[in-house]
Structure formats: structure tokens, C-alpha cells
Amino acid sequence: RANDRDYNEKFPYADNHIRTCKYNVFTFLPINLFEQFQRAANAYFLVLLILQLIPEISSLSWVTTTVPLVMVLLITAVKDATDDYVISPLPHLPPLPPLPHLPPLPPLPHLPPLPPLPHLPHLPPLPPLLQADILLLSSSEPYGLCYIETAELDGETNLKVRQALTVTSDLGADITKLVDFNGNIICEPPNNKLDKFTGTLYWRDNKYPLDNEKMLLRGCVLRNTEWCFGMVVFAGLQTKLMQNCGRTKFKRTSIDKLMNTLVLWIFGFLVCMGVILAIGNTIWEQKVGRSFSVYLLWDEPIRNNNVVFSGFLTFWSYIIILNTMVPISLYVSVEVIRLGHSYFINWDRKMYYIQKDTPAEARTTTLNEELGQVEFIFSDKTGTLTQNIMVFNKCSINGKSYGTSSRTACVDFSFNPLSDRKFKFHDHSLLEAIKMEEPSVQDFFRLLALCHTVMPEEKNEGDLVYQAQSPDEGALVTAARNFGFVFRSRTPETVTLYEMGTAVNYQLLAILDFNNVRKRMSVIVRNPAGHIKLYCKGADTIIFDRLDPSNHVLMNTTSEHLYVGFYTTCLRTLALAYKDLDENVLEEWMKRLLYASTVIENREEGLADLYEEIETGLMLLGATAVEDKLQEGVPETIACLTLANIKIWVLTGDKLETAMNIGYSCNMLRDDMNEVFIISGHSAHALEPELEQVLLETACLCKTVICCRVTPMQKAQVVELVKTNKMAVTLAIGDGANDVSMIKTAHIGVGISGQEGMQAVLASDYSFAQFRYLQRLLLVHGRWSYFRMCNFLFYFFYKNFAFTLVHFWFGFFCGFSAQTVYDQWFITLFNIVYTSLPVLAMGLFDQDVNEANSHRYPSLYRPGQLNVLFNKRQFFLCTLQGVGTSFLLFFIPYGAFCLVARDDGSHISDQQAFAVIISTSLVIVVSVQIGLDTYYWTAVNHVFVWGSLAVYFAILFAMHSDGLFSIFPSHFPFIGTARNCLTQKSVWLVIMLTTVACVMPGLAVRFLKTDLYPTLTDKYRPRCNAHPMTINANRTITPGETKPRLVSEEHFLPVLSGPLTVGLCP
Amino acid sequence: MGKAKANAGPLARRPDNSAFKQQRLPAWSPMLTAQTVLPFFYGMAIVCVLLGVWLLVTVQNTHELKVDYTHTGSCDKCFEKRKDRANANQSCNCTVVFNIENTFKGDVFFYYGLINFHQNLRQYMDSRDDGQMIGRNKNLKNPSSYCEPFIKDKNGLPIAPCGAVANSMFNDSFTLLYHSAAGSRVVPLFRKGITWYTDKNVKFRNPQVENKTLTLAQVFEGTGQPLYWQKPVYDLDPWDRNNNGFINEDLIVWMREAAFPNFKKLYGVLNRAIEPFTDGLPAGNYSVLISYNFPVEYFQGRKEVVLSTVSWFGGQNNFLPVAYLVTGCLILLLAVILTAVWWKFGEFSVDF
């Protein structure tokens, strides 16, 4: 209720305070920490930390876990904080100071006499950004019009118009009247539908229907409007914009799931190790330790009575020591790598569309490696495969077809001063017909000029720009304009045309708007002569059903034109029709319309029924055909992706014929194909459970699948069907609001920022401007991401096993007492300092095959689909390698040093020296291993690998220095060990032997693999790298031409059996 | 995340054309080809075998002699005596005789060895206070709790040095005798210079006091000796006043805990200034006079005396040369297999 604070405060309406950030300065730490410890891994390490504080079982200082844990938490916290600060959903909206306490229905108990009113938001031109969902009451423009831009909401930049109710727009800027305004609004509960609003205003005993056309939503920007008054309906978190910010379902990659399983396995393995060692300890205590107790007096009760208890304590001690097998830094490293890959996608110039200044954008940072595993692509047609730039191309008027091939000269529109210079049409006969003033042709273009929702913008006299929500409409209105029926301006109740130069005012009585179900729109206008006409345009099948029977012959001719001339050339068609209306019938109908539009429940259906009722018995005028050109590079991209064994299904709302034509022009359909599956959405029952499987199996047998006439919901169903049944990674790509559900359903959603607004992009995980970039996203970025992630994981697990299991072997020599092999500082720093950066560099920069060859040999994409680079078998192998390495790392130094002396005779077989030798060997071995695993040595890799080694030695000597020891004698007991060990030649002999023994077997296995079972990568790598110049030279490719040459496996093999220097197949 | 840059314009959002951002960083892509891998394997094999042979030759020129004296010869009676803890304070001396067949040339080192003594148990290793050993007065009177229960003696005095490690210090002492035709004579041993420099000069310091005139005994006043010790820490070396307290070299050597249950620790170095030991230990008959104090029968341990010379890579060590030889041969074998495989199945015959 407006202006009644006391009444409104009785309800719990949201106030207008919105926090788009999750944290503030004070709450950040507790909230973020709480969230982080909800992750299983972090919680596990916290438990471990607590275990370490128990002195009986603490085999390691608590520092060893704390330092990595704190670093991991810190890195994650910094990332969360920057995410929250930089990428909060609405960075532009200030936290709304101007409306201090604003219940949804603003009351005015004591009246301040002067504007700006504190309660009725008076919206000044600066800043024109709206802060709440507001019912427009009046504005500075005539008829209570108000122009807004909704880029913030849906990304559409065209102007939209909103109009106040006539009764309220009379309030104007009169403050006293506004203050007296005491309407009641009853409306739908807050929801996230940006394009719908249902409500009713009760004021002065009248009911007024409210719809979206009268609402100004939070986030809109006022344009061309000085001021407006409104009544706040939703505020704060209840606004549609905020309701829309709900987090979409969190997507996880298959590698993620595998990783979690593996971590669980490792955990199980850890427990097994603990149990084995605990049993070992029990036996040892029983047999040996008992007699040794003379030197360890304190455990008397344990020794004498309960060796099992000793084993129990040892179990926990070993859990602490061996915890590095479950690497704490794994998750954070994986996130860093994915973030890096996302940035590489954002930075890629070859996915930047210069015409629209649109770079590619990775909107999700967690899915990159999945891009290398895609098997199914579901593509929209319009705007995705095609440009969605519509050109009026042909028409059929009253049984006569106009529009010919582009070879004839363009029609000269100079007679018309208001024509659009860019418009081209190639059939002079149409212009002749216009000049002959044929009534049907005139009516045809009059309809096109009247029946639409386009907004004109006339900056200078005669310089018209149309703001159209759909490109089809824009094309049609522009066509009418050039043929002399210029749509000049509109008010809510009138439309002004310039018909062959003379202004004609039409009274707009009703707009029967377009939606996906109706597939048509109509206007009812009264022309200056007083005749009332209904003009209707819509999908041909729909219109044909509603024609007056007298149109039978004309309908047949027109549909013949449609089938013969239009469909076959991929044109989008609309049929046009009109109907003369009787004044009385209309009046009665309008009353019912008014009633129906104030009903709250089922208003849509009620209106649709009413519309249906009046849109019958139409008289056919003709049909239009608008051409939608294919985007650049689409056939090549599709061919290339097909070679990469990716199945592409086209899901479109278009007609079967149009869809097939697109299929032909995209190379997806060829005449020699006999395994083509085309299904129409009319057969929707195919998606019912019992037929699902049949559909899926049939579809998967075919090379090409095209689904036409599918609704957005069906698109999502198809994706869901494949996703759940085929266990394959799916990718959905689309540009319009009708693709949103499909994009959200698929594993990976890609949005094309095209002509149809931003909704698809907002729902997507990746977005770019052109379909052809998909090839690069998958074959280059996806492939690399997958390859890097797999190599990273392989190495990471290997490294931690090699590092940790040395303790297991040492257990057999130290009476299973959980004595660590290494210095505790080494344990602390190994994962986060000594070995983190080289593997990160590999995870970020490695390339097995360069980008040109990734395009050239699409079959290189196969390993990702088959998931062969990292799976449970690979994990087993890397575990094996890690175990083997740890074995050699322990036993070679053991054999060499257990009874050896230094060259000055003093002993070196003490535990500290042993620790230094093993840790140095370990760092060197894993560094050599990463060197072998790295395919692509950039300067960064060199710096990180050599730098890590340097840092290791620097820290080693610093930790073993006199200075640190004299300050903290109990924390740095290794004083001097590094110096005394690493100056020994025998130590270096041992380190060298260990390195050789650890690395050579792996190297040999890898060489054998490359030799006996070469992967595609192995096959192509030498060619690519050895002769890049030869290929270029032979092909005489000009520098600008980067179009990849596609070579299928079959073509490639025979060609290369000849001399290497021969270029690739033509 | 596409960041809008400050400079507006038609290409404002165009990504930078840097090699880093476009992933075109110049790089080296090494490859595992037969031409690189096989020579590397052969090279590695040769290096390892050659090193192995060289080390083997070097090791052949070193000598080592081990004499187990746990209950050999006259030490048998001491062994029996030490079985009973009541006799702990009674001294027991015994002699072990052995023969050196070839002259030990060069520096000769005298070690004592312990078998089956676990210096590497976690609780044992932790039971020490480095703060006390570096001479901090606070820790001297108030040792770290890690030393528990070897922290206070029965009079309630703090133990210096505290902890299980120091408590179990090896306390046999040896006199090596050379029996030549000219009669028996004591083989002179340096009993200092047997530790790492850093241990002797940094890690272990006696407590610092302002009054420099105080004797070591006065400095350690108010502390008790470890339970199993017969002498206080300031009286470990009766012959050299400067070798007492925490910087006693035998103590330092003992405090460097061995990594494995079988270990040897340096006892002394042959003083080659005196004839006839200028060239090392001459061949002949020797005996060791042992003051047998350290009990090993509780843990089925053994004690031994080791005489050894060293080479450029340390003491006698057969493992290293053998390991090198074995590794070298294995790599050679691998190399041959790889070559065969490559020849038969490799790039020569594979498709393409």
C-alpha cells in the first residue's frame, strides 16, 4: 500500500539493503575459514594437527602440518577474497545509500513539502541506474513513457520502452498528488523471471492490470527520460536482479571425481601402512624393545604389560608421518592450474572477435580439462551456426514471388529520402508494384511497418535507427522503410508511418504479443479513415491454420513459393495476414481483454485464449523470407571436430527443411551419406522414458543428428539423455535464451555472445563470439588443459609417494618407532617450496604438440575422450613408480653408509647426515623426473626447476647454519650437517647413483612405450617439431592465412610414408 | 573475467599480443628419440662401470679389521660380570689379541662398534637438550622436558647432560698395544680431533660464566651426573682439562646418533709422528686392553673394535663400487634391449 508506513511495517518486506559481497573486512576471516574447513581435505589436516599436539604420538613437530596448512588456507583465502572483490556478481551497484529505509510500499506519514521526496523515489538523471524494482507511475515523457536500457540485466543494449498506466501518469510531477497516491498492489511473489510480472493495482475503487511493461527493474538504466516517479514493489534481495543471481549448479569434472576417489584410496593405503607398521612395532617391542628398555626407562608399564598399546600409539604416529601421501597442496595446486588455463583462454587473441571487440571468456574456472574430453556437441542453429544477421531477401505477395539472385543490379531507393542506405534488394519488379500502388503490396508493407515491437530512434531528422529485439523484425521493418512505408515514431497509443512520403497516424488499439507457443504476433489498429484492422504475422504453418477458407488458392500458391523458393535456400519465413474488424465486436472483445489482463491466476492462458479467438478468419497477404547467413568457418570447424571424433548434434527450433539446408551447407549432410538421423520435435513422445533408449541408440548409430522443431525444454532433455546414458562428456553451445536450459544441463555450456542478448552467455561456462572458435577451445585449449592436468596429477602423486614411503622402509630399522628420516623442516617445505613451482610450471605451460598441429591432426583429441592419460591404471603406475623410487632412495644410501666413514675418518652414518643425503637425493631425483616429464621447456620452467634446486640448497645451508642454531638450538639441531655431508665425495657418488637408478628405468619404459606402442602424439610430435619450416615453405601459406588444413588419419598415413618433406595432403 | 582496460576504443578488450599470454613462449622441446636416448644409455652404462671399477680398485687398497670383543678371550669374565647390575661400579679389564697381516698404510682410524644398539628410536633420539649442550645456563639448571625421565637425579638435582642419549654413553676405553720383536709398546692415538668441527665448536659449548677463574667443576655445581655414569661430565678426560664438560669429544661423538642399529664410532686416530707408526700400522701382533664397562647383554648386542684406513671417498666401502658396477651392467643390458627393440620394432619398420 503506497504511502502508508504503519500498514506496511506489519509485513516482513525486505529492506533495500543489498550486499553483493559475501564478506566484509571483519567477517571475512571467520566465514572464510569456516567454509574452507568444510572441505574434507582441510578438515582432515586440522584433525592431523590436533593429533600432533598429543605428545605421546607426536612424531613430528606441529609446525610441519601447520605451515603447509596455513599456506594453503592463505592462498585459497586470497583467491576467495579477490573473487569476492573483483567478480562479485554486481560490482557496479553501490550499496544504496540514497534510500535509507524503504519498505516496499513507501509510506508518507509526515510530509516534507519539497522534492526530492524521501519515500517516493524521484529518479534523477544522474545516476540513472535503478536501485529497486519499481512500478512506473509517471515520467517526464508524454504518456508516462520511460526509456530504459537493460544491459545490466540481460545484456541487450537496445532501448526498451516502459509505459505507466494512464491514470497514474496523470499524476505527473505534482508532489501533493503523488503523496496522496494510495494505491494497493497485489502481485506475484518475488521471482527471477526478468521478462514477466503479474500484478494488479487497486486504486480509487478501480482495478488496473500490471505487467512487465510497467515495471522498471533494478539494474536498468534510464535513457532519454528526465525523471520518473514510481512505487517500489520489490527491494533489496527480493528484486528480480538479485533473485537471478542464484548460484547455478556447481559443475565438476570427471578428473575431479577421480581425484576424490584416489584421495580416498590413498587414505585407505595410509591406514594399511599404519596398521602394518603398528603390528611391526608390537612385534618388535615384544622381541627386541623389551630388552632395550634399560636405556628407555620411562615406558616401563607399556613395555612390560602392553605392547599392543605401544602399537596403537605407533599407528597414530605413523599416520602423522605418512600423511604427506595425501598431499595437502594438491587441491590448491589444481585450482591454480585451472585458473591459469582460464586466463590463457581469456587472453587468446585467436578467439577474440575483432568486429565486436569480444574476447573469449572462461566464466567457470573449474572445467578446463573437461574441454579436452568432449564427445558430444549439441549446437543451436540460429546465431550459433549462422550469423543471426537478417537480410530481407525474398517475399511472396498475393501469389507473386519477388526477389531473385544477387546477380542483378540493386534496386535504387533514392526516391525515398528516409531509406536505409545499407539495405539491398535485387528485384525491380517489387518497386514497380509499389509505384503502381497495388493495394496488396501496399498492405503487405504497411503490415510490416505496423506489426512489430521495434523502437525507432531519430537522432537527426531523417536519420532513423531501429532498436529491435529480434533481428528478424529489424530486417522486416527496414525493408518496409525502404519500400516507402517508413515507420517513423510510436507512442503507446499511436504509430506514425510515412507512407510514400505522407505522414499517416494509426491508432494502436491492442498488441497481441509474440511468444514461443503462439509463434505469431498481431496488432489491432484504426487507420485515419476509421477502419479497424488486425494485422498478423507469424510462422507460416500457424497462420495457414487460421486463414479464412476463401484464401485457399492463395495459400497454395504461397506455400508453393515457400517450399520451392525459400526453404531450399535456408531462409527464415513468416506469413503475413490481416483481418477487418467490426467496431462492436472489437469493443466487446476489448472489455474481455481488460478483464482477463487483471486476473492474477492463469492470466497467460486467459489472454492466449482471447487472442486465439480474434486471430481467426485471417486474410493472407503473403510471406517474407529473411536470410540468415552462415558464420565464417562453420563448415571447416564442423569437419575438423568430426575428424576429432566429436559427434555434433544440431538442435534447433527451426523447420525441418531449414535445418536440413543448414546441415547441407555445414557439411554435416552430404548426399552420399546414408546414416543420417533427423528427428522433429513434434514427435516429442520420443523423449518419453520407454522410447528414450531406442532414440538414443538410433541416434548414436548415425553420423549426423539433427533435431528440429524442438523446444528449449526438449533441448535440455536430449542433452540430459546423452549425458546420463552415454557416460560421455557433453558440450552445449548456443546463443539465445532458448539455449539456456541446454547450456546449463550439459557438462560444459558455451555461450555465443551474438545478436540475441546475453542470457546464454550469462548461463554459460565459456563464451566467445564466433562458432569457429569452438575448434580452438576444444582442440587446443581443451586438449592442452587435459594433457597438462593429467601430467600434473601423475607427477604429483609420484612425487609424494617417493617422498613419504622412505619412512616406511626406515621403520624396519628404527624399531617401528615412527622416527622420521628427514629433518622436520624438510618435511614442512618439500611440498610447498622445494617441488611446487616446477610442477606448477609444467601444469601451466606444457605443450606436447603445438597449436598448429593440434588443429592439423584432430585425431590427437582422441586420448582425452578415451580418458587414457590419467585413470586408475595410470594412478597405479605412478604409485608403483613412487614406491620404487622411495625404495631405491632409502636402500642405496643405506647400503653405502651404514658402516662407512668420512675421508677424515669421522663417522657419517648418523641419522642427521643420512637425512641430508636422502633428502638431497630426493629433491634431485624428482627434479630430474620433472625434467623428463616436461615436453615444453620455456624460460619459466628453467627458472622454476633450477630455482627450486637452488632454493633447496640455500634453505638447507641456512637451516644448518650456526646463526639459526645459536638462536633456536632446539628447533635447528641439524647444525653443520649439510656442510659436513655435502663436502664428501662419497655423498655425491651416492646421490648420483641414486638418481641414475631411480630415473633410468622410467626412461627406458617410456622409450619402449614410444617405440612399441606409439601414441598419436608420439607419432606426430617428431614431424611437427622437426620440420615445421618445410611444411610452411612447401605450402606457400601467406602469413595472414592461418586456416588449418585438416588431415584425417586415413589421408595422413599414406602421404607420410613418402619422404618427410612432402607437404600434407591437398 | 575479460578485464576492461583503461584505454577505451574499438579494440579496448583485445588481449595483449604477448608471447606469454598467447602461449607462444620460446621453448625447447626435447624428445625421446633413439638418437638421443640410446647413446645416453650407453654413455651412462660406461660411466657407471668405469666408476665402479675405479672405486673397486681404490677400495682394494684400503684395509679394515674388526675385532669382536663382546666375550672373546679374557673379556668373557667381564661379560659375565656386567650381567649383574650390582657390579656396575666394579671395574673390569680384559685383553683381546689380534694380528695384522699387511701393513695399514696411511692414516689409521680406531673405532668402536656396537651391534644391535638402537640409537635411532624416536623416544631415544628426542631425549636430549641441545639448549643445555650449547651451554645455556637456563637449560643447564632446567633441562628440557624431552629429557624425561633422565632429567633429575635421585637428589633432585638437574642432570647435565640430561636425556637418554647422554645417559647411555659408551664408556669402554681402549689401549692399543703393538707387540714387535723389540717388545710391546702402546700405539699412540690422538683422542682429539675425532669430531666434526661444527660439533666441537658450535653445537657443543660448556656453560658460559662471567667469572673466568671458576673451574669446570664449579661451573657444573648444582647439577647431577647421568644415572649410568661413573664420572661427572666435567671429569670425563682426566688427562686433558680442555676435553671435559660438554665439549668432551667422546661425548660429542656419542651424541651424534647413529641412523642404524649397527654402527661404529671413532675412538682415536693413529699418531704417525712416532716411530714405527710413521707409515701407518705395521704388520704384526697387536692387543687391545679394554676397560670393559658398557653392558650389551641386555639387548643381545655385541661390541667390536675396528681399525681402518680411508681412501679419497671415505672409509672402506664395498657397497658403492659394487652398486655402481651392478647399475652400470643393468643399464648396459637395458641399452642393448632398447637397441634391439628399436631395431626390430622401432621407427625403421613401423607404419608411417
Side-chain angles (χ1 to χ4, degrees), chain A residues 347 361 817 905 966 989, chain B residues 1 22-23 111 122 136 324:
Chain A
W347 286 332
E361 190 182 352
S817 64
S966 55
L989 282 174
Chain B
M1 248 174 279
Q22 302 307 317
Q23 306 197 60
Y111 302 90
R122 177 164 59 89
R136 295 211 163 158
Y324 262 105

Side-chain angles (χ1 to χ4, degrees), chain A residues 320-342:
Chain A
I320 294 173
I321 288 191
L322 299 177
N323 81 71
T324 40
M325 265 198 297
V326 186
I328 189 168
S329 47
L330 175 68
Y331 287 95
V332 77
S333 307
V334 165
E335 289 205 357
V336 167
I337 287 178
R338 284 181 180 155
L339 193 67
H341 293 173
S342 304

Side-chain angles (χ1 to χ4, degrees), chain B residues 194-232:
Chain B
I194 56 175
T195 60
W196 290 359
Y197 174 87
T198 46
D199 283 357
K200 174 87 178 171
N201 295 288
V202 184
K203 196 170 180 183
F204 294 88
R205 309 299 308 147
N206 276 326
Q208 301 299 306
V209 283
E210 281 163 32
N211 189 348
K212 299 282 180 198
T213 58
L214 287 181
T215 61
L216 210 50
Q218 286 168 312
V219 170
F220 279 98
E221 204 178 313
T223 62
Q225 72 188 53
L227 299 178
Y228 293 1
W229 286 21
Q230 284 130 346
K231 290 181 273 189

Side-chain angles (χ1 to χ4, degrees), chain B residues 154-175:
Chain B
K154 37 188 186 295
N155 302 324
L157 290 175
I159 293 175
C162 74
V165 187
N167 184 58
S168 60
M169 184 177 155
F170 186 77
N171 54 358
D172 286 3
S173 55
F174 309 94
T175 314

Side-chain angles (χ1 to χ4, degrees), chain A residues 164-240:
Chain A
L165 286 168
T166 325
V167 279
T168 59
S169 64
D170 290 345
L171 296 171
D174 189 334
I175 299 303
T176 44
K177 278 191 193 166
L178 281 169
V179 166
D180 288 339
F181 174 72
N182 60 350
N184 264 346
I185 293 180
I186 293 178
C187 65
E188 60 186 5
N191 60 50
N192 62 359
K193 289 181 190 136
L194 289 175
D195 51 352
K196 278 215 179 90
F197 178 80
T198 1
T200 315
L201 173 68
Y202 294 88
W203 188 40
R204 294 180 186 157
D205 305 325
N206 272 328
K207 293 203 288 186
Y208 303 94
L210 302 177
D211 58 23
N212 198 40
E213 295 303 303
K214 294 165 187 69
M215 296 296 295
L216 307 177
L217 301 184
R218 180 186 165 99
C220 295
V221 179
L222 278 191
R223 293 271 184 240
N224 306 344
T225 310
E226 265 175 58
W227 51 261
C228 66
F229 282 95
M231 173 171 161
V232 174
V233 179
F234 297 126
L237 289 173
Q238 296 185 337
T239 56
K240 303 233 175 197

Side-chain angles (χ1 to χ4, degrees), chain A residues 398-417:
Chain A
N398 203 15
K400 187 170 185 307
S401 172
Y402 298 94
T404 48
S405 69
S406 56
R407 295 211 177 78
T408 51
C410 286
V411 175
D412 179 19
F413 289 110
S414 55
F415 76 94
N416 181 355

Side-chain angles (χ1 to χ4, degrees), chain A residues 609-676:
Chain A
D609 288 345
L610 265 181
Y611 291 166
E612 185 79 44
E613 186 186 314
I614 202 155
E615 287 166 336
T616 46
L618 301 174
M619 305 297 289
L620 185 65
L621 271 174
T624 59
V626 174
E627 188 184 4
D628 188 5
K629 282 189 178 149
L630 269 190
Q631 282 185 16
E632 206 182 313
V634 168
E636 292 88 341
T637 306
I638 288 182
C640 183
L641 293 177
T642 312
L643 282 180
N645 200 34
I646 299 173
K647 297 181 186 66
I648 303 174
W649 293 20
V650 174
L651 310 179
T652 174
D654 268 321
K655 287 176 278 293
L656 180 72
E657 296 80 7
T658 325
M660 275 179 69
N661 285 322
I662 285 289
Y664 276 109
S665 52
C666 293
N667 259 343
M668 292 180 65
L669 295 178
R670 285 190 303 273
D671 286 333
D672 55 345
M673 280 181 152
N674 40 17
E675 295 148 338
V676 178

Side-chain angles (χ1 to χ4, degrees), chain A residues 56 58-59 87 284 288 291-292 294-299 303 317 343-344 346-349 352 354 357-359 361-362 365 781 784 788 810 813-815 817-819 844-845 847 851 890-892 894-896 898-907 909-914 934-940 962 965-967 969 973 975-977 979-980 985-986 989-990 992-993 996 1000 1003-1004 1006-1008 1011-1012 1019 1021-1023 1025 1053 1056-1057, chain B residues 1-3 9-17 20-34 37-38 40-41 44 47-48 51 55 66 85 109 111 116-118 120-125 127 130-131 134 136 148-150 164 168 194 196 198-199 202-203 227-228 253 256-266 294-295 298-300 310-317 319-320 323-324 327 331 334 338 341-342 345-347 350-352:
Chain A
E56 275 75 28
S58 164
S59 40
I87 320 166
W284 187 87
V288 186
S291 52
F292 197 71
V294 63
Y295 296 112
L296 291 168
L297 285 180
W298 58 89
D299 282 347
R303 311 261 147 169
S317 300
Y343 272 107
F344 281 133
N346 295 344
W347 286 332
D348 195 337
R349 270 201 158 196
Y352 165 79
I354 202 159
D357 188 25
T358 316
E361 190 182 352
T365 57
H781 287 285
W784 278 348
R788 290 166 182 172
F810 189 54
F813 294 87
C814 67
S817 64
Q819 171 61 37
L844 285 173
F845 304 118
Q847 304 179 2
E851 55 180 86
F890 179 79
F891 282 99
I892 291 180
Y894 167 73
C898 71
L899 279 175
V900 87
R902 269 164 40 120
D903 57 359
D904 63 352
S906 55
H907 59 97
S909 59
D910 69 291
Q911 201 271 335
Q912 294 189 339
F914 196 65
T934 305
Y935 285 80
Y936 191 74
W937 281 83
T938 64
V940 184
D962 305 353
F965 176 73
S966 55
I967 302 168
I975 155 86
T977 316
R979 260 174 287 175
N980 285 295
K985 295 174 198 77
S986 57
L989 282 174
V990 168
M992 192 185 130
L993 181 66
V996 169
M1000 288 311 239
L1003 192 62
R1006 189 173 302 177
F1007 178 76
L1008 277 179
D1011 230 25
L1012 292 179
K1019 279 185 192 166
R1021 238 165 83 80
R1023 319 280 167 229
N1025 297 328
L1053 290 177
L1056 271 190
S1057 58
Chain B
M1 248 174 279
K3 278 182 237 161
L11 304 177
R13 276 147 55 86
R14 186 179 190 165
D16 294 340
N17 191 13
F20 174 74
K21 290 189 173 181
Q22 302 307 317
Q23 306 197 60
R24 280 190 278 102
L25 285 178
W28 170 58
S29 324
M31 262 178 308
L32 290 185
T33 60
V37 172
L38 293 181
F40 178 72
F41 267 81
M44 225 47 207
V47 167
C48 286
L51 255 176
L55 293 179
K66 284 184 186 172
R85 264 187 226 187
F109 299 88
Y111 302 90
N116 205 19
F117 187 92
H118 283 269
N120 58 2
L121 294 185
R122 177 164 59 89
Q123 296 94 328
Y124 178 89
M125 292 190 86
S127 183
D130 286 322
I134 201 184
R136 295 211 163 158
E148 206 68 66
F150 302 98
S168 60
I194 56 175
W196 290 359
T198 46
D199 283 357
V202 184
K203 196 170 180 183
L227 299 178
Y228 293 1
V253 167
R256 190 151 277 284
E257 299 129 330
F260 301 103
N262 305 345
F263 58 87
K264 62 182 184 188
K265 286 177 184 277
L266 190 55
F294 196 77
Y298 302 122
F299 52 89
Q300 292 92 43
V310 296
S311 63
W312 59 267
F313 70 93
Q316 195 182 40
N317 185 351
F319 177 85
L320 210 50
Y324 262 105
T327 311
I331 294 176
L334 264 181
L338 291 189
V341 166
W342 171 70
F345 306 105
E347 285 171 59
V350 168
D351 37 25
F352 284 115

